[in-house]
Amino acid sequence: LEAFDGVKGDAYVVDPKSLDKEGLFGSLDPTTLEWTDGVFTAILRGVLANHRGEAARRHWVVFDGDVDPDWAENLNSVLDDNGLLTLPSGERLAIPSNFKVFMEVDTLKHTTLATVSRCGMVWYADDTVSRAMALKHALHMLETGASSGGSGGG
């Protein structure tokens, strides 16, 4: 998109299966009642704080892994028209228009209808992009010095 409209973009790739729900969204210490942000919440807060001009950039949080209801249900209010992340602490964070959530999955086997109904779907057959095509593209990107995205690129 950057080549089309000139708006730079950042991608934050998260493997949701490598963290528990608290690691993704945050946790409230029952003794001190102190809130600690998880990975997703910390990314969102960084964009909202706009310390480095984040408001002028496009932000993509990519959940690269199976959609598990245990963590995905927490995103339902983010994905629907409310555009709010409601934390267990009671705090609500509004999702800005330049912040997008993208889920890259192999299957929707464990996904609930509530989550699926809030998402747009794009499906590619296994033979749409072959390994040879992906390798050729990656080599071209290395030869030209272009970035193919990834965290902080884009």
Side-chain angles (χ1 to χ4, degrees):
L1 287 175
E2 181 179 344
F4 177 72
D5 63 9
V7 177
K8 293 197 177 287
D10 292 321
Y12 311 90
V13 180
V14 178
D15 179 356
K17 292 299 222 176
S18 67
L19 301 165
D20 59 13
K21 188 166 49 172
E22 290 76 20
L24 282 172
F25 299 105
S27 60
L28 187 64
D29 185 299
T31 306
T32 64
L33 298 180
E34 183 178 334
W35 176 258
T36 303
D37 283 342
V39 172
F40 180 79
T41 308
I43 293 168
L44 177 56
R45 279 194 205 278
V47 171
L48 291 171
N50 194 29
H51 292 303
R52 297 180 315 214
E54 287 86 356
R57 302 175 68 85
R58 202 176 274 118
H59 301 273
W60 300 87
V61 176
V62 180
F63 287 104
D64 188 3
D66 291 338
V67 178
D68 186 329
D70 188 45
W71 63 266
E73 293 297 311
N74 289 314
L75 289 177
N76 285 347
S77 65
V78 169
L79 300 172
D80 67 18
D81 293 339
N82 294 326
L84 289 173
L85 176 63
T86 304
L87 301 172
S89 64
E91 184 179 8
R92 292 175 172 227
L93 301 175
I95 306 300
S97 61
N98 64 334
F99 189 90
K100 307 294 182 200
V101 176
F102 190 92
M103 298 178 200
E104 184 177 349
V105 302
D106 288 330
T107 180
L108 296 174
K109 186 184 341 183
H110 302 292
T111 310
T112 66
L113 292 176
T115 301
V116 171
S117 68
R118 289 170 168 88
C119 298
M121 301 287 164
V122 178
W123 177 79
Y124 291 102
D126 289 337
D127 60 352
T128 301
V129 178
S130 68
R131 288 186 181 168
M133 292 167 62
L135 179 60
K136 183 177 177 181
H137 173 72
L139 289 173
H140 173 74
M141 298 303 277
L142 287 171
E143 288 173 353
T144 62
S147 172
S148 63
S151 182

